[in-house]
Amino acid sequence: MIYIADSGSTKCDHVILKEDGAELIRFKTKGFNPQFCDAAFISAEMGNVAELKSLSSQVTKAYFFGSGCSTPELNQKVKDGLSPIFPNAIIQVDHDLMASAYASYSGKPAVTCILGTGSNAVYFDGNQITKGIAGTGYILGDEGSASYIGKKVLSSYLYKTMPEEFRDDFDKSYGLSRSEILKQVYEKPFANVFIASFATFASKHLKSPFFHDLVYEGFESFLKTQVLYFDQAPQSPIHFIGSVAFHFNKILKEVVQNLKLNMGNVIQKPIDGLVQYFLQYHIDSHKSNA
């Protein structure tokens, strides 16, 4: 059996296939970003998946693609968390950039972007990926992501630059004081996920010029900083992966068109495209140049 997973910082999608590609089970867990969680957390979460227990020992190949899986040390942390669950499997761990490139591949070289809790971009020629300049995280970077949009929402609330009518709705929706927000951000774990959760507030009020411009600026910054870094970008399709790209699709298209770039595919669930890519090309036939 074959296990494939695609993980962001917030959630992880998992699927187990038979060797012939037939799907056995599909399930979700919390996200496994090794920058924010350890091997024990991964093992505990996976161990709580009841339908996995009868199948896990039969898995012989495991492919995990995840946010934060960017160094051998971080990748080992994921392997250590999965090894007790899949004791008979050869486990490969790679960055979610690889998953995004595979999942969106349409037979042509392209720039593929991740817009979820965080943001990133990669150029994939069909054989190898070329990484961009992202990787600075939600404090210094992640332009256009849910954490970036959420950060702008929170700062506009705290600085009182958010229009009053929306401040009132924010209070009714969350009931958070200034001190509670700052405590969640600076003292508690998974601050990036907490911050990212406020992107939904921007989505709720997108008809307002204030929130439209807030989201637009985030996408514009992402495209100018991370996508146009690639010389191939102006001539290539620009594919997008992730919930933010999906739910803010109209504004994203607007920004892409205004920058005279080529809008490609928008995929909400990378796991679907990843499974299809695996069945068509087999992941082992392509290797990252990282």
Side-chain angles (χ1 to χ4, degrees), residues 24-156:
L24 289 172
I25 62 168
R26 184 178 293 222
F27 59 95
K28 295 180 182 290
T29 65
K30 294 179 180 178
F32 301 151
N33 185 328
Q35 293 179 332
F36 305 112
C37 68
D38 57 18
F41 176 84
I42 296 171
S43 295
E45 288 295 315
M46 293 291 283
N48 288 331
V49 180
E51 61 266 41
L52 180 61
K53 294 179 181 179
S54 62
L55 300 174
S56 59
S57 63
Q58 301 175 59
V59 172
T60 57
K61 299 174 184 176
Y63 302 94
F64 183 95
F65 299 89
S67 177
C69 297
S70 54
T71 68
E73 293 77 17
L74 291 169
N75 292 358
Q76 188 60 50
K77 192 185 294 188
V78 176
K79 286 184 181 180
D80 291 343
L82 293 177
S83 293
I85 307 299
F86 304 115
N88 300 314
I90 297 173
I91 301 173
Q92 296 185 25
V93 178
D94 210 330
H95 204 283
D96 57 350
L97 285 172
M98 289 304 303
S100 67
Y102 292 147
S104 62
Y105 186 61
S106 59
K108 297 180 180 180
V111 176
T112 296
C113 310
I114 298 175
L115 289 175
T117 304
S119 68
N120 216 322
V122 64
Y123 179 75
F124 184 49
D125 64 5
N127 290 293
Q128 293 184 321
I129 67 166
T130 301
K131 292 184 178 180
I133 55 172
T136 53
Y138 72 100
I139 295 176
L140 297 178
D142 278 348
E143 296 85 0
S145 69
S147 60
Y148 185 90
I149 295 169
K151 180 166 57 178
K152 294 297 184 180
V153 169
L154 285 173
S155 63
S156 69

Side-chain angles (χ1 to χ4, degrees), residues 228-249:
L228 289 177
Y229 168 81
F230 298 104
D231 293 336
Q232 304 93 332
Q235 296 80 38
S236 302
I238 313 296
H239 301 314
F240 295 92
I241 298 281
S243 57
V244 170
F246 182 81
H247 291 295
F248 294 95
N249 189 20

Side-chain angles (χ1 to χ4, degrees), residues 158 177-187 194:
L158 295 172
S177 67
R178 178 187 180 89
S179 61
E180 288 171 331
I181 292 171
L182 296 178
K183 185 174 183 179
Q184 285 282 352
V185 171
Y186 294 108
E187 298 181 26
F194 171 76

